[in-house]
C-alpha cells in the first residue's frame, strides 16, 4: 500500500483544509491515459467507487484501482517551494 511521508501529510492537509470543502475531501491519484505510467492528481470531495483509501493523520489519498496497483510499494512525498508551488514526488519503498 502507498505510504505517505510527513511532508506529504502536511501538504495534503493544507490543500484540503478549506472549510467550504466536505470533511471527506482528499487528493485523488489516477493513472494516465493511453496506458502510460503518467499519473494525474486532483482534489476530490470523496473517493470514487473502487478507489483504495490511504489515510494518515487526517490526510486522505484516494487511489484509482490502476494507480493503486502501480503505487502499491511506493512512498508519496510533497514539498512546497518558496513561491508556494507544491511538488509531489513518488519514491521506491516505504517511508521511514
Amino acid at each position: 500500500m502507498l505510504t505517505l511521508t510527513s511532508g506529504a501529510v502536511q501538504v495534503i492537509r493544507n490543500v484540503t483544509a478549506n472549510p467550504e470543502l466536505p470533511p471527506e475531501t482528499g487528493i485523488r491519484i489516477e493513472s494516465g491515459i493511453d496506458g502510460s505510467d503518467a499519473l494525474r492528481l486532483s482534489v476530490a470531495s470523496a473517493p470514487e467507487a473502487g478507489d483504495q483509501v490511504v489515510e494518515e493523520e487526517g490526510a486522505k489519498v484516494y487511489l484509482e484501482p490502476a494507480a493503486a496497483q502501480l503505487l502499491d510499494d511506493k512512498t508519496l512525498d510533497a514539498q512546497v517551494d518558496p513561491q508556494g508551488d507544491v511538488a509531489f514526488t513518488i519514491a521506491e519503498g516505504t517511508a521511514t
Side-chain angles (χ1 to χ4, degrees), residues 54-65:
V54 177
E55 185 172 359
E56 190 169 321
E57 298 177 35
K60 297 174 185 75
V61 178
Y62 306 128
L63 300 168
E64 173 263 336

Side-chain angles (χ1 to χ4, degrees), residues 2-83:
L2 178 72
T3 58
L4 309 177
T5 66
S6 59
V9 167
Q10 186 64 38
V11 168
I12 293 167
R13 287 181 11 200
N14 288 343
V15 167
T16 60
N18 184 333
E20 295 179 12
L21 296 174
E24 305 82 32
T25 300
I27 299 295
R28 185 164 195 267
I29 302 174
E30 54 190 320
S31 56
I33 2 182
D34 300 330
S36 74
D37 283 344
L39 297 170
R40 293 185 298 180
L41 188 140
S42 61
V43 175
S45 59
E48 293 187 14
D51 281 358
Q52 181 182 95
V53 178
V54 177
E55 185 172 359
E56 190 169 321
E57 298 177 35
K60 297 174 185 75
V61 178
Y62 306 128
L63 300 168
E64 173 263 336
Q69 183 176 8
L70 183 66
L71 300 174
D72 185 50
D73 59 346
K74 307 288 189 287
T75 297
L76 180 67
D77 191 16
Q79 296 181 348
V80 179
D81 70 17
Q83 291 76 33

